[in-house]
Amino acid sequence: MQRHSLFTAMSLGLFAGAASTTALAEMSPLEQQLKDLEEFQVIAHRGASGHAPESTMAAFEMAHEWNVDYLELDAQLSSDGEVVVFHDDTIDRTSDGEGAINDYTLEELKALDTGTWFNEANPDSASDDFAGAQMLTLDELFEHFGHDARYYIETKSPQLNPGLEEALVEKLEEHDMIENGRVLVQSFEQDSLLKVQELNDDVPLIQLVWYYPSEEDNSKLVEWTDVTPGPSEITDEDFQAVADYAVGIGTNYIYDGRQVIDADFISQAQENGLPVHVYTINETEEMERLMDMGANGLFTNYPDRLLELVD
Ligand code: G3P
Ligand code: CA
């Protein structure tokens, strides 16, 4: 998207040296993807999940038709090792089944209805087309959109999905997603990202962080996995430690009504080479506020609202 931040581009070093037209023309698709991160990114969170059942083909198709920059999705494993696209650890909320997703084979997961719950919860957006939606495999998503889309894939709950990184990287390589600049891999777990990097060090990685008040001292914010200190204590060195393996950072903005990051956090991350993508922003006013604060992209269930705001 064209909401270009010159400051960000400069702080990322993207204009360093003689960036001639010839050099740009010779850029590989993967280099082009990294360069595109200097522009504002519209990231469809679980597809256009405000309008269609999350993580279903309908939600991804809607977002893709709107020409978003990335389709965001969560990857997990079925009990027989297939990579499936699903957010929760259990199937209860968004299907007609119950229990842990990892207890079911792909065949069993495919028999579930992952669309009717949405119609019941959102009568104004309900559609007969959503009823009976099947859980997607990553293969199906890749086969459907191919290299026409970019995918922002989270290794969800790595402890509950042992072997996920290996299975994911295998799929990325099989579908030629990495060298074609089609994928970012995101995780809250640094170990999971490092595992992906060990398997294929070309995969661009995004470190997710989640800030919330410390139980001991409510005035102090802490990060869920301790990957960084809280925003008020974070140093350039902390950001540099993330920049050693990741190309960006994905953060929450609000915890329980309390703002956890600000424009200083965003610019400090950028100055250390890390564009900042903020999740999950659904209200137009909040989108505008974060764009004014210099965020490099937003995860949203309503990409249509965000697209209205970008050039
Ligand atoms: O991946 C960014 C954001 O989606 C993280 O939160 O719980 O929606 O996966 P969650
Ligand atoms: Ca996610």
Side-chain angles (χ1 to χ4, degrees), residues 45 72-74 87 154 156 186:
H45 184 244
E72 194 269 350
L73 59 119
D74 306 283
H87 177 268
E154 181 175 350
K156 182 56 85 184
Q186 47 164 338

Side-chain angles (χ1 to χ4, degrees), residues 56-82:
T56 64
M57 194 61 91
F60 290 119
E61 270 183 339
M62 205 178 280
H64 186 253
E65 272 164 29
W66 289 337
N67 205 21
V68 300
D69 294 296
Y70 280 93
L71 302 176
E72 194 269 350
L73 59 119
D74 306 283
Q76 302 206 61
L77 289 179
S78 63
S79 65
D80 48 348
E82 192 63 46

Side-chain angles (χ1 to χ4, degrees), residues 53-57 60 74-79 82-92 94-97 99-102 104-115 117 130 132-141:
E54 65 183 60
S55 311
T56 64
M57 194 61 91
F60 290 119
D74 306 283
Q76 302 206 61
L77 289 179
S78 63
S79 65
E82 192 63 46
V83 184
V84 291
V85 178
F86 199 77
H87 177 268
D88 293 4
D89 297 342
T90 66
I91 57 178
D92 301 44
T94 59
S95 87
D96 55 349
I101 182 169
N102 315 115
Y104 291 92
T105 63
L106 179 61
E107 191 180 351
E108 289 165 337
L109 294 174
K110 277 283 180 193
L112 297 170
D113 173 352
T114 62
W117 72 273
F130 300 157
Q134 277 191 342
M135 193 179 298
L136 290 172
T137 64
L138 191 61
D139 273 334
E140 288 169 335
L141 195 71

Side-chain angles (χ1 to χ4, degrees), residues 4-262:
H4 182 80
S5 160
L6 181 62
F7 171 77
T8 302
M10 290 177 74
S11 65
L12 291 172
L14 294 167
F15 293 154
S20 68
T21 314
T22 316
L24 289 174
E26 287 168 1
M27 215 177 268
S28 72
L30 183 53
E31 288 165 340
Q32 182 65 54
Q33 178 194 17
L34 298 178
K35 184 178 187 307
D36 289 347
L37 290 178
E38 78 188 62
E39 295 184 358
F40 187 83
Q41 303 294 294
V42 175
I43 306 157
H45 184 244
R46 308 179 203 167
S49 59
H51 298 285
E54 65 183 60
S55 311
T56 64
M57 194 61 91
F60 290 119
E61 270 183 339
M62 205 178 280
H64 186 253
E65 272 164 29
W66 289 337
N67 205 21
V68 300
D69 294 296
Y70 280 93
L71 302 176
E72 194 269 350
L73 59 119
D74 306 283
Q76 302 206 61
L77 289 179
S78 63
S79 65
D80 48 348
E82 192 63 46
V83 184
V84 291
V85 178
F86 199 77
H87 177 268
D88 293 4
D89 297 342
T90 66
I91 57 178
D92 301 44
R93 181 179 64 87
T94 59
S95 87
D96 55 349
E98 56 184 38
I101 182 169
N102 315 115
D103 285 345
Y104 291 92
T105 63
L106 179 61
E107 191 180 351
E108 289 165 337
L109 294 174
K110 277 283 180 193
L112 297 170
D113 173 352
T114 62
T116 296
W117 72 273
F118 179 89
N119 286 346
E120 289 167 1
N122 304 278
D124 292 346
S125 309
S127 162
D128 290 344
D129 294 344
F130 300 157
Q134 277 191 342
M135 193 179 298
L136 290 172
T137 64
L138 191 61
D139 273 334
E140 288 169 335
L141 195 71
F142 284 170
E143 277 156 20
H144 191 80
F145 296 109
H147 296 167
D148 280 347
R150 280 186 172 144
Y151 309 88
Y152 205 128
I153 305 177
E154 181 175 350
T155 56
K156 182 56 85 184
S157 306
Q159 302 86 344
L160 299 176
N161 289 284
L164 174 60
E165 294 82 2
E166 288 82 353
L168 173 60
V169 171
E170 201 177 306
K171 296 290 177 201
L172 298 181
E173 290 175 347
E174 201 179 303
H175 291 267
D176 297 328
M177 289 292 169
I178 304 162
E179 70 273 24
N180 280 299
R182 297 293 101 194
V183 68
L184 291 172
V185 171
Q186 47 164 338
S187 187
F188 287 101
E189 306 284 339
Q190 187 190 57
D191 285 353
S192 180
L193 293 177
L194 295 178
K195 204 177 282 181
V196 169
Q197 189 170 60
E198 208 176 292
L199 292 161
N200 187 320
D201 64 6
D202 284 332
V203 180
L205 305 171
I206 301 286
Q207 178 67 58
L208 295 177
V209 289
W210 184 41
Y211 296 115
Y212 58 91
S214 151
E215 276 174 25
E216 290 81 46
D217 176 359
N218 188 267
S219 68
K220 194 180 154 207
L221 294 172
V222 291
E223 201 286 315
W224 184 27
T225 68
D226 278 334
V227 72
T228 75
S232 63
E233 296 161 276
I234 200 162
T235 63
D236 288 346
E237 288 69 34
D238 296 319
F239 279 122
Q240 283 295 327
V242 174
D244 277 350
Y245 59 90
V247 301
I249 201 157
T251 179
N252 59 327
Y253 172 49
I254 301 286
Y255 177 86
D256 202 15
R258 172 169 164 184
Q259 184 176 334
V260 296
I261 56 129
D262 57 16

Side-chain angles (χ1 to χ4, degrees), residues 266-309:
I266 292 173
S267 59
Q268 192 183 0
Q270 292 168 344
E271 281 155 18
N272 285 287
L274 293 168
V276 178
H277 298 157
V278 185
Y279 63 86
T280 300
I281 309 300
N282 292 327
E283 301 307 324
T284 299
E285 206 175 284
E286 211 162 70
M287 291 172 179
E288 287 175 324
R289 202 175 312 138
L290 279 155
M291 290 168 93
D292 288 344
M293 283 164 58
N296 301 91
L298 301 180
F299 296 80
T300 179
N301 300 344
Y302 296 90
D304 49 331
R305 294 179 189 169
L306 186 52
L307 287 163
E308 289 276 309
L309 304 178

